Amino acid sequence: MAMRVAVIPGDGIGVETTAEAVKVLRTVASVFGRSIELETLPWSADHYLQTGVTIPANGYAMLRGFDAVFIGALGDPRVADNRHARDILLGTRFELDLYVNYRPVKLLDARLCPLKDRSVGDVNFVVFRENTEGLYVSVGGRFKPGTEDEVAIQEELNTYKGVHRIVKHAFEFATAHGRKNVCMADKSNAMTQGHALWQRVFKELAPQYPGIQAKHLYIDALVLLMVQNPAQFDVIVTNNLFGDIVTDLGAALQGGLGLAASGNLHPGKTSMFEPVHGSAPPLAGKNVANPMGAILSAALMLDYAGWSVEAAAIESAVRDAVASGNGTKEIGGSLGTVETGDYIVSRVRRALP
Ligand code: IPM
Ligand code: MN
């Protein structure tokens, strides 16, 4: 059966990196005799500025009709309040209830690690970022805005169900993938209401997984240890904002934002995949952006759909590109975005089943 994917390239370098991911998806489909139908949706800053529409009224319902959604990146200096990005990216996360933000942190080549003397096995963990609550819910308000008496309130939402389902997902993933430990990171020493709930849920769930070592760290200690000794981590689970921040650090550990991939999941429902990188307006249109994060996100999408052989073929093609220096400048190569994509396509072609 064909896999139907909605593709939203979005803004800036998202358009360029998505084009390479699409090329690789088409190649892998033809090499492995699979059928993938890709439907491109124009939702972006350009589209918003031309039509006044960020996402059409039936947009989320439309997305639910696909097997998966692939997003490039959103963000454009011409849309100062970032409304279109909120509606399209955060909107999709919220409206499709994609509560698992799955961000693997995997060093593909020791050369790319900014830490001294690390091998690939030292940086290989997974972050599960809660994706539908926390400080991202936009609950709050401003009193006397624009004056010197302005008061701004931004509430953090933590629900038992919301915390429970993401922490449970982390333990289930660890169990299914042979990971030894799950580390929950919060700031319960200072955020004594919301993060007390994280503590409660973690203590409730941990004993149900006796084969998995349950660890807790305050978020500040977590970032310290991610740099000092990343090898100790297998699975990290944390809230929306902390997860946003630690996954940029994770991206740095694996060689930069250009390499980081992610999935926004709701098991059993339409899920969305995107590179961790943003739209990077200064780099747009120059054929310099690294398409590997987007290509690896496409691999995550296939893997999640059960196409594990195809996903592995993509990952090994990317690994080969990194090892042989066939990549963009920031990872030590001399190729452009398109040429890096071409190289990866040529390697996928060799991975005949
Ligand atoms: C990410 C991004 C987004 C986030 C922005 C663009 C709203 O940084 O996917 O990590 O904070 O979630
Ligand atoms: Mn981020």
Side-chain angles (χ1 to χ4, degrees), residues 178-199:
R179 296 283 191 163
K180 289 192 206 66
N181 66 71
V182 171
C183 174
M184 188 277 276
D186 64 18
K187 191 64 191 169
S188 50
N189 50 350
M191 301 179 68
T192 52
Q193 309 301 334
H195 294 195
L197 180 55
W198 281 77
Q199 287 288 324

Side-chain angles (χ1 to χ4, degrees), residues 85-126:
R86 270 208 325 270
D87 287 358
I88 300 165
L89 179 63
L90 299 181
T92 298
R93 289 179 186 168
F94 282 96
E95 295 296 324
L96 274 62
D97 197 28
L98 305 177
Y99 64 93
V100 179
N101 196 325
Y102 167 49
R103 296 187 161 182
V105 177
K106 189 168 175 182
L107 181 62
L108 292 182
D109 191 299
R111 180 175 64 77
L112 297 179
C113 190
L115 307 176
K116 271 186 297 193
D117 305 328
R118 303 298 157 136
S119 56
V120 288
D122 291 332
V123 180
N124 183 3
F125 58 91
V126 170

Side-chain angles (χ1 to χ4, degrees), residues 45-341:
D46 275 342
H47 180 261
Y48 172 51
L49 293 169
Q50 279 161 25
T51 63
V53 175
T54 57
I55 178 165
N58 65 342
Y60 303 120
M62 231 170 109
L63 294 182
R64 280 187 211 106
F66 287 89
D67 296 313
V69 179
F70 187 92
I71 295 186
L74 290 152
D76 187 302
R78 294 170 300 165
V79 185
D81 62 1
N82 230 13
R83 225 197 105 189
H84 72 299
R86 270 208 325 270
D87 287 358
I88 300 165
L89 179 63
L90 299 181
T92 298
R93 289 179 186 168
F94 282 96
E95 295 296 324
L96 274 62
D97 197 28
L98 305 177
Y99 64 93
V100 179
N101 196 325
Y102 167 49
R103 296 187 161 182
V105 177
K106 189 168 175 182
L107 181 62
L108 292 182
D109 191 299
R111 180 175 64 77
L112 297 179
C113 190
L115 307 176
K116 271 186 297 193
D117 305 328
R118 303 298 157 136
S119 56
V120 288
D122 291 332
V123 180
N124 183 3
F125 58 91
V126 170
V127 178
F128 288 109
R129 161 185 175 188
E130 200 294 318
N131 215 26
T132 50
E133 334 194 305
L135 272 162
Y136 275 66
V137 293
S138 227
V139 172
R142 269 179 290 172
F143 181 51
K144 299 186 180 175
T147 72
E148 292 197 349
D149 295 320
E150 179 164 346
V151 177
I153 295 175
Q154 186 103 36
E155 301 279 12
E156 188 185 85
L157 182 83
N158 296 279
T159 69
Y160 178 81
K161 282 183 188 158
V163 177
H164 193 275
R165 64 183 182 173
I166 187 70
V167 174
K168 182 166 189 224
H169 188 88
F171 276 111
E172 293 289 338
F173 178 93
T175 306
H177 292 83
R179 296 283 191 163
K180 289 192 206 66
N181 66 71
V182 171
C183 174
M184 188 277 276
D186 64 18
K187 191 64 191 169
S188 50
N189 50 350
M191 301 179 68
T192 52
Q193 309 301 334
H195 294 195
L197 180 55
W198 281 77
Q199 287 288 324
R200 173 191 158 198
V201 170
F202 194 62
K203 285 180 185 145
E204 243 176 64
L205 281 169
Q208 296 174 24
Y209 300 88
I212 309 285
Q213 192 199 343
K215 303 202 284 191
H216 167 259
L217 286 171
Y218 296 124
I219 188 69
D220 45 353
L222 172 73
V223 293
L224 175 98
L225 293 170
M226 274 174 70
V227 172
Q228 284 185 338
N229 177 18
Q232 69 188 284
F233 297 110
D234 268 334
V235 175
I236 293 170
V237 59
T238 190
N239 68 40
N240 208 339
L241 182 67
F242 294 169
D244 177 47
I245 298 166
V246 302
T247 53
D248 265 35
L249 177 57
L253 295 178
Q254 59 183 315
L257 268 181
L259 282 150
S262 80
N264 298 255
L265 322 173
H266 185 131
K269 296 192 183 172
T270 302
S271 293
M272 182 265 278
F273 299 81
E274 47 159 356
V276 178
H277 70 70
S279 59
L283 303 184
K286 297 185 175 146
N287 194 37
V288 297
N290 188 345
M292 290 173 175
I295 291 168
L296 290 169
S297 300
L300 283 189
M301 178 175 83
L302 300 188
D303 194 50
Y304 190 68
W307 299 18
S308 52
V309 176
E310 291 80 357
I314 296 177
E315 189 184 311
S316 90
V318 172
R319 196 187 293 273
D320 171 328
V322 171
S324 59
N326 284 289
T328 43
K329 285 216 175 67
E330 96 291 359
I331 57 163
S334 58
L335 301 183
T337 308
V338 173
E339 294 71 26
T340 301

